Amino acid sequence: MNTPPLILLAMPSIHSGAWRYPGAHPGFQTDFEQMKWFAQTLERACFDGLFLPDTLAVRAAPMEALMRGHSTVTLDPLTLLPALAALTQHLGLIATASTTYNEPYMLARRLASLDHISAGRAGWNLVTSSNPNEAANFGLEEHMEHSARYHRAREFCTVMDGLWESWEEDAFCRDAQSGQYFQPSKMQVLNHQGEHFSVRGPLNVERPVQTRPVIVQAGASEAGRQIAAATAEVIFTYQTDLPSAQAFYADMQARAKAAGREQALKIIPAVFVVLGDSLEQAQAKRRQLDELVDEASCLATLSIALGHDISGYDHNGPLPEIPDSNASKSGRERVVQLAKTENLSILELARRICGYQGLEMVGTASMVVDQMQHWLEQSAADGFNIMFSHLPGGVSEFAEQVVPELQKRALLRTRYEGRSFRENLGLLKPAQGYSRR
């Protein structure tokens, strides 16, 4: 199989002004017809996969800010993706699901089912929940401490892998003449007893088509990198410059090798793409998007990112020293570093955070492809998770302008060749017994 050198994933826009942009569909993420169109458009453009972020609570923000956020409500990924699986044939389908507020058996069952429904196109974005409001929705008074969340996540993954291997590939003989449906010797009872979980098994869903749905992880903290190197196959990252991206890429590949992984990880930075017929037009579009972001919403979003209420500080002054919190460590560090590097006031920082503070590619289609190719060739990325300027227009522009240029340079397939999401990514199928090694 000839795997293309560039992996393309996509997700709905997270820019806070995207839903207000002229021509945007304000309720895109909760409109099934729009999401169906989105998935089918990505597939026509030969994208590898659709990534759906998720959280299990409304974010902790003042109502003045909360009422202005388009991501306050979404559809459950593991309800939406099976429906989209029936309407697509090749597109990978990545569901975000928390190891903090789920149980391994139920999640293994749902993801295995998605893998069968989609004929081998399921992916799981493993997260540990950074939103403290989630705890209150699951009978807890306090959010689990950061290191404890990752410790639980590691055992969670071990249980998931064991459950997915409950059945050998040829366990189900379905012999109507003899009346035997499966071979008992090819069924494995897990009997896991651990610190966080006690799970007997076996899973009452057949072995997934891919043996294991593609595992994705985005943590950039030390704990996040450790679990990613040990368990994940695709790493989402948020580096904003080439040197830091190269350092992250090299670090993660070295960690994976040290962990005894048989193949290299796929490193996929998130990138916010804004297109125009000229650089000036694209930059003007970006400014227009930023101007659509509400100030109160920006400040609330910054408080969430820092895990600390900044409403009492001088918003025109610099960001003070912020105490540690139980929020996402890597996310907090990125924000603090951005403020220091660019000498931003609190309000300036808040506007950057609420719009989009990560890697961005703004310009013409050829300019965007030049940057993508450079990152690929400089060992900073294996592909990109695209966030569009607005929907549906942003994805149409990308499909019509960027995709042909990528294909012209042989950086993107012109048709799918793999039979599964894993094959299209160039990932090996785990060997039988992988979970017991």
Side-chain angles (χ1 to χ4, degrees):
M1 183 179 66
N2 182 24
T3 303
L6 183 70
I7 294 170
L8 273 189
L9 305 175
M11 61 183 286
S13 179
I14 62 171
H15 191 291
S16 299
W19 70 277
R20 300 179 62 197
Y21 191 81
H25 188 294
F28 192 95
Q29 292 177 206
T30 56
D31 185 320
F32 179 71
E33 289 301 316
Q34 291 291 322
M35 291 302 295
K36 178 179 76 173
W37 176 88
F38 187 35
Q40 291 174 334
T41 301
L42 294 175
E43 187 165 80
R44 286 193 296 272
C46 290
F47 271 68
D48 288 276
L50 167 61
F51 163 63
L52 293 183
D54 194 38
T55 182
L56 296 171
V58 170
R59 66 178 182 148
M63 186 55 69
E64 179 65 23
L66 193 63
M67 71 180 191
R68 301 177 188 278
H70 74 288
S71 59
T72 301
V73 292
T74 59
L75 297 175
D76 171 32
L78 282 167
T79 302
L80 175 59
L81 290 178
L84 296 180
L87 299 166
T88 53
Q89 293 181 306
H90 306 285
L91 189 70
L93 304 166
I94 306 169
T96 297
S98 170
T99 59
T100 308
Y101 299 112
N102 272 299
E103 290 295 322
Y105 191 93
M106 282 301 298
L107 188 55
R109 191 169 189 262
R110 297 180 74 190
L111 285 165
S113 296
L114 175 60
D115 206 45
H116 281 286
I117 291 167
S118 65
R121 293 185 284 133
W124 172 33
N125 178 37
L126 184 167
V127 297
T128 62
S129 290
S130 59
N131 182 350
N133 278 7
E134 294 184 32
N137 289 338
F138 292 87
L140 301 176
E141 293 184 1
E142 293 185 357
H143 194 37
M144 190 180 295
E145 189 270 329
H146 184 269
S147 62
R149 295 199 302 268
Y150 277 95
H151 192 263
R152 174 187 165 98
R154 186 67 188 90
E155 185 180 342
F156 195 109
C157 291
T158 298
V159 177
M160 295 278 278
D161 282 331
L163 288 171
W164 284 327
E165 283 217 291
S166 293
W167 305 95
E168 295 183 19
E169 287 191 12
D170 58 350
F172 293 87
C173 52
R174 297 185 175 95
D175 188 336
Q177 186 172 358
S178 69
Q180 184 174 345
Y181 198 78
F182 71 88
Q183 301 176 67
S185 64
K186 297 181 181 293
M187 181 187 80
Q188 301 293 331
V189 178
L190 182 61
N191 282 327
H192 174 87
Q193 297 290 332
E195 180 180 347
H196 299 280
F197 305 107
S198 174
V199 181
R200 179 183 183 275
L203 195 66
N204 62 345
V205 178
E206 287 186 57
R207 187 185 191 90
V209 176
Q210 301 178 100
T211 297
R212 185 192 205 221
V214 174
I215 308 299
V216 180
Q217 216 274 328
S221 66
E222 179 60 27
R225 293 189 191 205
Q226 287 178 1
I227 194 172
T231 65
E233 296 159 302
V234 175
I235 310 297
F236 287 159
T237 180
Y238 295 92
Q239 271 66 38
T240 58
D241 62 85
L242 188 66
S244 64
Q246 289 172 313
F248 180 85
Y249 190 103
D251 178 64
M252 290 309 304
Q253 301 295 7
R255 287 173 186 254
K257 186 175 181 180
R261 304 296 295 277
E262 295 181 356
Q263 59 182 336
L265 304 176
K266 303 295 185 182
I267 310 297
I268 312 292
V271 58
F272 182 58
V273 176
V274 183
L275 294 169
D277 292 334
S278 65
L279 176 61
E280 292 74 22
Q281 187 185 73
Q283 290 172 331
K285 184 188 290 188
R286 174 65 203 258
R287 286 193 298 272
Q288 184 178 4
L289 278 163
D290 290 343
E291 289 166 1
L292 294 170
V293 177
D294 177 73
E295 183 175 310
S297 182
C298 288
L299 293 168
T301 298
L302 178 58
S303 292
I304 293 168
L306 293 170
H308 185 75
D309 183 8
I310 48 86
S311 60
Y313 299 117
D314 177 9
H315 297 161
N316 293 312
L319 185 71
E321 288 295 321
I322 302 296
D324 284 338
S325 73
N326 202 20
S328 168
K329 302 291 185 186
S330 56
R332 178 184 178 278
E333 289 168 4
R334 282 196 302 272
V335 172
V336 171
Q337 189 58 45
L338 177 64
K340 290 179 179 178
T341 302
E342 300 193 18
N343 195 29
L344 300 174
S345 70
I346 287 177
L347 184 56
E348 289 170 333
L349 178 63
R351 284 178 173 151
R352 286 286 297 278
I353 297 302
C354 206
Y356 181 67
Q357 79 274 19
L359 175 64
E360 60 180 56
M361 295 183 181
V362 179
T364 65
S366 61
M367 289 176 181
V368 168
V369 174
D370 285 343
Q371 292 177 74
M372 288 183 173
Q373 185 169 2
H374 186 59
W375 276 55
L376 186 70
E377 292 172 346
Q378 297 300 311
S379 298
D382 294 302
F384 298 93
N385 188 14
I386 309 298
M387 288 174 282
F388 305 100
S389 55
H390 63 293
L391 296 169
V395 67
S396 295
E397 293 170 355
F398 192 97
E400 294 167 4
Q401 299 173 35
V402 176
V403 166
E405 183 65 23
L406 287 169
Q407 292 171 334
K408 178 182 175 183
R409 302 188 197 187
L411 292 172
L412 181 67
R413 65 174 63 83
T414 56
R415 62 184 178 86
Y416 294 95
E417 295 182 10
R419 295 169 297 172
S420 68
F421 185 29
R422 181 174 291 280
E423 288 186 8
N424 283 325
L425 292 176
L427 294 170
L428 300 174
K429 185 177 181 179
Q432 188 163 290
Y434 80 94
S435 67
R436 297 184 288 279
R437 292 176 181 172

